[in-house]
Amino acid sequence: MSDLHLEVKNLIIDALGLEDMTADDIDSTAPLFGDGLGLDSVDALELGLAIQKHFSIKIDADSKDVRQHFASIDSLADFIRSKQQGGQ
């Protein structure tokens, strides 16, 4: 697991108050919403704000790709990495 993956997992746990989970409990490829981790739309808002603050990046909630970026830990880490490298 990369450092960024671990950082994102721990941020999810902290931001959403998932005290009964550890980073090892979260599968990097499993869906974050629905049948995977089971997050909902309120969690998505809280997570989006936490990611913007923690990583100092901007997330365009109206972007057609935002749902895809939040699909899993892997896709979220790729999105954060691209934003930090100046990607759109």
Side-chain angles (χ1 to χ4, degrees), residues 9-79:
K9 288 179 179 186
N10 285 323
L11 179 64
I12 290 172
I13 291 167
D14 293 341
L16 303 180
L18 305 175
E19 299 91 16
D20 57 335
M21 295 190 84
T22 68
D24 290 335
D25 294 331
I26 302 173
D27 182 345
S28 293
T29 61
L32 293 177
F33 298 90
D35 293 335
L37 193 55
L39 303 184
D40 60 22
S41 59
V42 174
D43 294 327
L45 291 172
E46 290 180 28
L47 180 56
L49 291 172
I51 287 171
Q52 289 183 97
K53 183 177 180 180
H54 184 82
F55 293 102
S56 300
I57 61 173
K58 175 83 171 110
I59 298 173
D60 180 5
D62 295 326
S63 170
K64 62 179 171 37
D65 297 328
V66 86
R67 186 174 273 226
Q68 180 182 350
H69 296 315
F70 279 73
S72 68
I73 297 295
D74 283 344
S75 61
L76 195 49
D78 289 343
F79 171 70

